[in-house]
Amino acid sequence: EDQVTQSPEALRLQEGESSSLNCSYTVSGLRGLFWYRQDPGKGPEFLFTLYSAGEEKEKERLKATLTKKESFLHITAPKPEDSATYLCAVQAGGNAGNMLTFGGGTRLMVKP
Amino acid sequence: DSGVTQTPKHLITATGQRVTLRCSPRSGDLSVYWYQQSLDQGLQFLIQYYNGEERAKGNILERFSAQQFPDLHSELNLSSLELGDSALYFCASSVDWGNSGANVLTFGAGSRLTVL
């Protein structure tokens, strides 16, 4: 069974204070690892897909990296508008359909 | 606007009742997915349809059912509702190129169901 664990559950940062969110996963044949951002009461918004260990992707203040067992979302000099819940998910290969298995999320709060 | 349309946005009903949630996928997307998000459970996969056929099933209760119509919109039917069914229900869609390559799921804004 595919499993995704995210830590910490919640993270409070001061504006400009860089940090990293962790996503540990076990999956039978990784097709892709996904990061989404979710604002309260809204649907998850796609950020990145990573396909293989060693891959990195960047978008503004966010950088996602992938190893064979975990992924990190690095947030550099965050701003209050980066406050949201960040979700990690895996998509398995084979004939399991293309659904995503999500972790519990990290709730990020950035104070000015 | 993600291009995935869900209605209604909010729904309040009583225990024992039945409701239908509707989802229109992004133009060109063939797969529709339903997820349930409650405070203590996170995002849980319910069911996937691809071009009208059931493709994958998750932890969907027997009281819940879904279908995808020829125009690719989908409906999730929830019956004999219980207090614990109160949650956000999300629909997502993807192009779904089969088993080659990862497919990005695009989510709708969700339907918030409150069972009293």
Side-chain angles (χ1 to χ4, degrees):
Chain A
E1 185 179 327
D2 304 334
Q3 285 195 323
V4 180
T5 304
Q6 292 187 246
S7 61
E9 288 186 7
L11 181 62
R12 290 189 178 205
L13 299 174
Q14 287 295 132
E15 183 173 1
E17 180 187 2
S18 301
S19 189
S20 296
L21 314 184
N22 177 264
C23 170
S24 298
Y25 67 92
T26 56
V27 62
S28 52
L30 180 69
R31 182 177 294 172
L33 184 138
F34 296 75
W35 283 96
Y36 283 82
R37 168 189 170 130
Q38 186 176 25
D39 292 301
K42 297 191 176 180
E45 177 186 345
F46 172 72
L47 293 173
F48 303 109
T49 307
L50 301 167
Y51 297 95
S52 58
E55 189 175 1
E56 299 183 352
K57 286 193 177 173
E58 286 189 68
K59 180 180 179 179
E60 296 180 358
R61 295 176 292 282
L62 301 176
K63 179 181 176 179
T65 62
L66 181 65
T67 72
K68 287 187 177 179
K69 293 184 179 181
E70 52 191 355
S71 177
F72 293 93
L73 185 66
H74 308 277
I75 303 177
T76 302
K79 298 182 178 181
E81 53 262 41
D82 295 322
S83 297
T85 296
Y86 290 85
L87 299 167
C88 173
V90 294
Q91 193 172 68
N95 295 318
N98 285 315
M99 69 283 195
L100 299 179
T101 299
F102 282 88
T106 294
R107 192 170 70 254
L108 174 66
M109 293 157 281
V110 182
K111 296 203 165 187
Chain B
D1 183 359
S2 68
V4 178
T5 304
Q6 290 189 246
T7 57
K9 285 186 169 32
H10 302 277
L11 192 54
I12 301 174
T13 189
T15 55
Q17 295 299 304
R18 172 190 169 94
V19 298
T20 297
L21 309 180
R22 182 188 166 103
C23 169
S24 293
R26 282 191 327 165
S27 176
D29 286 357
L30 297 177
S31 271
V32 168
Y33 310 75
W34 286 98
Y35 281 82
Q36 179 191 57
Q37 187 176 42
S38 53
L39 284 175
D40 58 346
Q41 289 281 329
L43 269 166
Q44 298 291 315
F45 169 69
L46 297 178
I47 197 164
Q48 176 197 358
Y49 277 82
Y50 172 76
N51 205 20
E53 300 288 329
E54 183 183 304
R55 182 83 178 271
K57 218 168 187 177
N59 298 321
I60 186 167
L61 299 172
E62 284 191 13
R63 301 183 286 109
F64 296 1
S65 65
Q67 55 185 325
Q68 187 179 27
F69 295 86
D71 67 352
L72 301 178
H73 91 271
S74 178
E75 293 181 355
L76 178 67
N77 301 296
L78 315 174
S79 61
S80 302
L81 285 167
E82 302 175 359
L83 295 177
D85 297 328
S86 295
L88 268 169
Y89 291 85
F90 287 105
C91 170
S93 71
S94 72
V95 173
D96 197 339
W97 295 109
N99 291 327
S100 58
N103 281 268
V104 176
L105 272 62
T106 302
F107 283 79
S111 292
R112 180 176 294 280
L113 173 66
T114 302
V115 182
L116 301 176

